[in-house]
Amino acid sequence: MDKPYYPFKPIGSLDALATTLGVHPKLLTDFSNKANDSYVKFEIVSKSNKRRTVYEPKFELKRLQKRINSRIFEKVEYPVYLHGGISDEINKRDYVENAKLHAKSNTLICLDIKDFYGSILLDHVFDVFKNFFHFPPDVSSLLTKLVTLNGNVPQGACTSSYLANLVFFNSEYNLVSRFRGRGVTYSRLLDDVTLSSNDKLSDTLVQKYIEEVSKLFAKYSLHIKNKKTRVHIKSDHSKPYDVTGLWVGHSSPRLRKSDRRNIRHEVFLCEKEFEFDSTSEKYHKQWNRVSGLVAKMQRLQHSQAKILRQRLSKVLPTYSDADAAAVIRDANKILNAKKKENMKIGELNRINRVLYSLGILGRTNSGKAKSLGKNIRAKYNNLPGKRAFWV
């Protein structure tokens, strides 16, 4: 399948849309008209110390967007060249699967779309709902209001990654098909585009292919970030032959030797810190971060991952007496509180945090932790998962 496909009948009216999203039609219309006022703006700092503006939707809008995802966007069948931000229970759509498509190649072309989300305009979003989903104009217009902010796609909204995957629905597949006919593999992980070939491509062909991708983006007023354009030849060992941070010179994506060496050192540092103080907040954060790195190695099936996981399991973070007492107090408060029929997300998060903390407490006080955890689960035996809560 080269093109995204929506296998259901279009939502034909505002009443049908309201039913689909579980909201009264008037409330849905009223809320769409004030959606621009339903975001919280803040900044995050990337690993490279660059500041990025993010817009977090407030509760009611976030709930609607989650339902748009689960009841509309997640029903789409996405082609294999699209990755990132797609919920797919059968085939994962992440940076690892994206990199797999380019394993064993001999030439890589890596491109980055400049200010991707902020450059996807309201008209492009409306086009997705009207001409991809084939929703009528009033339905398409209302949905467009719910997933855009001041005329653009906001970075931070949960619907934005799906829109990023669908914005080229009527043209990207043609480009992919042409590349395939030339023996070139194309993939896109949101704003990261990768082309690869089993041949060693000439400079002329490389430039030609970059221009073809650039022309596609230009149709949507999008541009390539030139300083992030990378062309790598597998035989040139002076440059890393990688896709989304993974080396693809082997039959499957791998971590570079330097990355694996760094993770082994991080595990060693955990072992040393454990001897000094296994209860500090600093060590809890350190262990969780390193555990994530080892999990990455496991996902990529590195042979050292099993041993590193075993080493980490011997230096698990624990609680000080004061922190343990605080966890027990929080657990008792939950047990003594009146159970509510309609639980809010904050209350659900609080219960889950305490259950997580009891797991850590169980490393030093197994009996108490098991007893409290059992009683909380018995009291909240129908506790919804986060996904079930939102959708």
Side-chain angles (χ1 to χ4, degrees):
M1 180 180 65
D2 283 341
K3 193 174 183 180
Y5 173 63
Y6 182 62
F8 298 95
K9 292 182 179 180
I11 297 172
S13 68
L14 290 177
D15 284 346
L17 176 63
T19 299
T20 299
L21 299 180
V23 180
H24 189 278
K26 186 178 185 307
L27 285 176
L28 186 61
T29 300
D30 290 345
F31 200 79
S32 70
N33 289 329
K34 63 178 182 180
N36 281 339
D37 299 321
S38 298
Y39 289 88
V40 176
K41 178 182 176 181
F42 61 95
E43 287 189 339
I44 60 174
V45 180
S46 66
K47 292 181 180 179
S48 58
N49 287 324
K50 290 185 177 180
R51 293 188 175 276
R52 179 178 298 173
T53 302
V54 174
Y55 299 90
E56 174 73 16
K58 296 178 183 178
F59 178 81
E60 292 296 338
L61 179 59
K62 187 173 185 178
R63 182 166 61 179
L64 276 175
Q65 290 180 346
K66 292 278 189 180
R67 291 180 180 179
I68 290 170
N69 279 355
S70 64
R71 303 178 189 188
I72 298 177
F73 287 143
E74 290 178 16
K75 304 301 182 184
V76 173
E77 297 174 9
Y78 295 90
V80 295
Y81 58 81
L82 291 178
H83 293 267
I86 297 173
S87 177
D88 190 331
E89 294 181 359
I90 299 175
N91 301 303
K92 289 185 178 181
R93 301 301 187 100
D94 62 3
Y95 73 104
V96 176
E97 297 303 316
N98 179 62
K100 278 183 182 179
L101 295 175
H102 305 283
K104 295 193 295 185
S105 60
N106 284 295
T107 303
L108 285 177
I109 305 172
C110 301
L111 310 171
D112 186 89
I113 305 175
K114 185 178 180 180
D115 188 25
F116 189 29
Y117 290 103
S119 299
I120 302 176
L121 304 178
L122 183 145
D123 289 346
H124 300 146
V125 176
F126 180 82
D127 188 51
V128 169
F129 289 120
K130 184 175 182 294
N131 295 314
F132 174 72
F133 288 102
H134 300 293
F135 297 163
D138 56 347
V139 172
S140 299
S141 179
L142 190 145
L143 283 167
T144 298
K145 290 179 181 178
L146 290 174
V147 299
T148 57
L149 172 62
N150 298 325
N152 302 91
V153 171
Q155 185 161 0
C158 62
T159 46
S160 294
S161 60
Y162 280 104
L163 291 167
N165 279 301
L166 291 172
V167 66
F168 307 127
F169 74 91
N170 207 28
S171 51
E172 191 170 31
Y173 73 101
N174 284 322
L175 183 66
V176 174
S177 181
R178 291 201 304 273
F179 279 138
R180 186 184 299 117
R182 303 165 184 163
V184 174
T185 298
Y186 172 105
S187 74
R188 180 165 63 87
L189 192 149
L190 301 174
D191 58 352
D192 288 316
V193 175
T194 306
L195 307 177
S196 66
S197 173
N198 291 335
D199 299 324
K200 185 176 179 180
L201 301 178
S202 66
D203 292 343
T204 302
L205 274 179
V206 167
Q207 189 58 39
K208 181 180 186 314
Y209 294 161
I210 292 175
E211 288 175 358
E212 289 187 31
V213 176
S214 183
K215 286 179 181 178
L216 168 65
F217 297 161
K219 291 180 182 178
Y220 300 82
S221 302
L222 296 165
H223 304 283
I224 290 175
K225 192 181 294 183
N226 291 326
K227 65 180 181 179
K228 283 200 169 184
T229 297
R230 296 183 294 122
V231 180
H232 294 167
I233 305 300
K234 184 178 177 181
S235 57
D236 180 4
H237 300 296
S238 66
K239 297 179 181 178
Y241 197 76
D242 59 10
V243 174
T244 52
L246 300 176
W247 181 65
V248 292
H250 199 266
S251 58
S252 60
R254 313 286 282 177
L255 289 172
R256 293 185 291 266
K257 286 184 179 179
S258 58
D259 293 328
R260 301 198 300 272
R261 188 183 310 115
N262 178 64
I263 293 173
R264 289 196 299 270
H265 183 64
E266 292 279 6
V267 171
F268 169 75
L269 292 178
C270 273
E271 292 169 331
K272 300 305 291 183
E273 184 65 25
F274 176 83
E275 294 176 1
F276 176 71
D277 184 2
S278 67
T279 68
S280 69
E281 181 180 357
K282 171 190 170 185
Y283 181 65
H284 279 249
K285 291 180 178 179
Q286 177 185 1
W287 189 95
N288 288 334
R289 179 178 57 79
V290 177
S291 178
L293 294 174
V294 173
K296 186 175 183 178
M297 290 185 71
Q298 290 174 309
R299 170 78 192 281
L300 295 168
Q301 299 182 334
H302 284 286
S303 58
Q304 310 101 310
K306 184 177 180 180
I307 294 174
L308 294 177
R309 176 58 65 192
Q310 290 172 346
R311 287 171 59 182
L312 278 181
S313 69
K314 296 177 181 178
V315 292
L316 294 169
T318 59
Y319 285 135
S320 65
D321 290 343
D323 289 337
V327 170
I328 293 171
R329 283 196 303 271
D330 288 342
N332 283 323
K333 285 180 182 178
I334 288 173
L335 287 172
N336 294 329
K338 183 178 180 181
K339 183 179 178 181
K340 298 179 181 179
E341 292 296 326
N342 296 315
M343 188 174 295
K344 295 181 179 180
I345 187 65
E347 294 165 330
L348 175 62
N349 288 337
R350 181 188 173 201
I351 293 170
N352 284 328
R353 281 197 301 269
V354 168
L355 288 173
Y356 172 80
S357 297
L358 288 173
I360 298 175
L361 179 65
R363 297 165 189 168
T364 53
N365 193 340
S366 177
K368 189 68 173 178
K370 284 183 177 179
S371 174
L372 289 169
K374 181 179 178 180
N375 291 336
I376 290 174
R377 291 185 179 90
K379 179 176 180 178
Y380 298 96
N381 59 333
N382 294 319
L383 193 68
K386 280 193 175 182
R387 178 177 173 82
F389 177 88
W390 285 112
V391 303

